Amino acid sequence: MNFTLHIWRQENAKSKGRFETYKVKDISPDCSFLEMLDILNEQLVNDNIAHPVCFDNDCREGICGMCGLYINGRPHGNDDGITTCQLHMRKFNDGDEIWIEPWRAKPFPVIRDLVVDRSAFDKIIQSGGYVSVTTGGVPDANSIPIPKRCADMAMDAAECIGCGACVAACKNASAMLFVSAKVSHLALLPQGQVEASERVKKMVCKMDELGFGSCTNTYACEAECPKQIKRQNIARLNREWICQIFGGNHKPQD
């Protein structure tokens, strides 16, 4: 398969970026998108055409969330429930033109080419996305009864890998789906109840401080999330926030 690639090239966050066009040939349909970029980079180096295209990746198994790219106008490309590293070239047609960009969001400044700085998510987690109180050892934790429905919802929320697709998909660059997933998976468990009210306040305030926008209620975040995190988590986050603001007793929300 042959493709024409229009790739965003940018030296750093302060320099002006531009699209550069490259062609790749004889790409296997079973080749992953990142493997295709590896082939392109090998071609660029061997032919002394340009500096290799910088892109972020690690596990290449859809686990780490580092490989986020904006491909033909969609975060992670033209498939559902997958990360960029799980996208294969058979999803495209021979001869296609493919436009590849980094995440477009103020809190995610470009480091170089397709790599963005997603440390803003780390700062949100550091502000309150953890349990710091003593909850006992593993046997003690296992002895706490948790309704299966709550446990299942907590596990579903905990699947969020922090890739940033929700931010990239939102026209306001909102991080509500990410924050709500991190709040939900702790709010639904007994171990997270003690700090629940302070947690939601700190994480939402940090999200606003870092420049993420408000929720647009278009649900583009849910549609593009590779782990299919549900928008119901945003509703739970809002309930947790209202409970904190009005000083009500915190109760787990299902």
Side-chain angles (χ1 to χ4, degrees):
M1 301 178 74
N2 302 325
F3 301 101
T4 300
L5 308 177
H6 304 283
I7 302 178
W8 186 259
R9 306 302 306 264
Q10 186 172 337
E11 292 296 320
N12 52 57
K14 296 182 179 180
S15 64
K16 185 176 181 180
R18 77 280 179 194
F19 281 104
E20 295 284 351
T21 301
Y22 307 102
K23 293 184 181 293
V24 289
K25 299 180 179 180
D26 302 323
I27 302 296
S28 168
D30 297 324
C31 185
S32 76
F33 199 86
L34 296 187
E35 289 170 337
M36 182 273 296
L37 290 179
D38 287 336
I39 293 171
L40 169 65
N41 279 341
E42 185 175 356
Q43 174 183 312
L44 295 179
V45 171
N46 290 340
D47 296 343
N48 198 26
I49 296 174
H51 189 279
V53 176
C54 294
F55 60 94
D56 226 344
N57 69 102
D58 187 14
C59 70
R60 300 203 178 196
E61 296 178 346
I63 298 172
C64 70
M66 293 178 65
C67 62
L69 298 177
Y70 214 76
I71 303 167
N72 286 347
R74 287 190 64 182
H76 294 299
N78 57 337
D79 202 355
D80 297 324
I82 55 101
T83 53
T84 301
C85 63
Q86 296 173 300
L87 178 66
H88 290 82
M89 300 313 295
R90 57 179 172 267
K91 288 292 181 178
F92 300 90
N93 298 315
D94 187 26
D96 273 357
E97 294 191 38
I98 305 175
W99 296 80
I100 310 167
E101 305 171 67
W103 286 165
R104 301 289 192 184
K106 181 181 177 181
F108 291 159
V110 173
I111 296 175
R112 183 163 186 166
D113 294 340
L114 305 175
V115 181
V116 300
D117 181 357
R118 277 175 285 201
S119 62
F121 272 7
D122 297 329
K123 293 174 182 176
I124 292 174
I125 294 296
Q126 291 165 3
S127 70
Y130 52 82
V131 174
S132 64
V133 297
T134 300
T135 58
V138 174
D140 301 311
N142 287 338
S143 68
I144 301 174
I146 302 173
K148 185 178 186 303
R149 184 164 179 265
C150 290
D152 287 345
M153 289 191 296
M155 287 298 293
D156 288 344
E159 284 191 51
C160 172
I161 56 177
C163 67
C166 52
V167 176
C170 180
K171 60 186 179 181
N172 283 354
S174 173
M176 284 289 282
L177 192 67
F178 166 77
V179 176
S180 68
K182 299 306 178 184
V183 166
S184 288
H185 90 263
L186 294 176
L188 288 162
L189 299 176
Q191 294 87 346
Q193 300 300 311
V194 178
E195 300 170 298
S197 295
E198 283 300 308
R199 177 182 303 113
V200 68
K201 178 182 178 181
K202 290 177 180 178
M203 294 182 73
V204 170
C205 288
K206 179 59 69 172
M207 175 182 67
D208 292 341
E209 176 190 320
L210 292 170
F212 291 99
S214 302
C215 179
T216 61
N217 292 316
T218 60
Y219 308 139
C221 54
E222 180 186 60
E224 301 295 359
C225 176
K227 296 303 176 182
Q228 299 179 321
I229 303 298
K230 301 300 182 184
R231 63 180 180 268
Q232 283 81 358
N233 288 299
I234 298 178
R236 185 177 297 108
L237 170 65
N238 288 333
R239 290 197 297 268
E240 295 283 323
W241 173 259
I242 291 172
C243 183
Q244 191 280 328
I245 291 296
F246 291 99
N249 293 325
H250 176 269
K251 295 180 180 180
Q253 302 288 340
D254 57 19

